[in-house]
C-alpha cells in the first residue's frame, strides 16, 4: 500500500486517468473527490462487502417447496 500525505486541494493521479482530490478535512473525516472515466467502477468497500454477504446468504438459503407452491397458488387466485 502506498501511503501519501495530501492537503486540502491537492490531487493524486492513478494510472494517468483517475484523479483523487482532497476536498475538505474536518476532524478525523476527509472528503475526497474522484474523477475517472465512466468505465471505471468506484464503490465504497463497506458497500461491496455488504452486497457480497447478502449474495452469499441468498445463495445458501433453502426454499420450502411446499411453501413456494402455496405462494404460487395464492398468486394465481389473486390474478383471477
Amino acid at each position: 500500500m502506498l501511503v501519501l500525505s495530501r492537503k486540502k486541494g491537492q490531487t493524486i493521479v492513478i494510472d494517468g486517468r483517475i484523479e483523487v482530490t482532497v476536498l475538505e478535512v474536518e476532524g478525523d473525516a476527509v472528503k475526497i473527490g474522484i474523477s475517472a472515466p465512466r468505465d471505471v467502477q468506484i464503490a465504497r468497500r463497506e458497500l461491496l462487502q455488504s452486497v457480497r454477504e447478502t449474495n452469499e446468504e441468498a445463495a445458501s438459503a433453502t426454499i420450502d417447496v411446499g411453501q413456494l407452491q402455496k405462494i404460487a397458488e395464492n398468486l394465481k387466485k389473486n390474478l383471477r
Side-chain angles (χ1 to χ4, degrees):
M1 173 187 301
L2 173 64
V3 179
L4 300 171
S5 295
R6 300 278 79 200
K7 294 179 181 177
K8 182 178 176 180
Q10 293 182 325
T11 300
I12 61 170
V13 179
I14 301 170
D15 196 29
R17 59 191 203 130
I18 301 167
E19 292 186 1
V20 181
T21 304
V22 177
L23 301 176
E24 185 177 320
V25 180
E26 191 172 306
D28 64 348
V30 178
K31 186 180 286 187
I32 60 171
I34 303 170
S35 297
R38 290 189 179 270
D39 66 318
V40 175
Q41 180 183 0
I42 301 171
R44 296 187 331 252
R45 182 181 301 273
E46 63 272 14
L47 178 62
L48 293 175
Q49 181 64 31
S50 175
V51 169
R52 185 178 301 116
E53 290 171 0
T54 301
N55 287 343
E56 288 172 358
E57 289 174 14
S60 66
T62 58
I63 297 174
D64 180 346
V65 176
Q67 185 70 15
L68 188 58
Q69 187 174 12
K70 288 179 185 177
I71 292 170
E73 289 171 0
N74 285 335
L75 285 172
K76 284 182 185 178
K77 287 178 187 176
N78 289 334
L79 292 175
R80 292 182 187 160

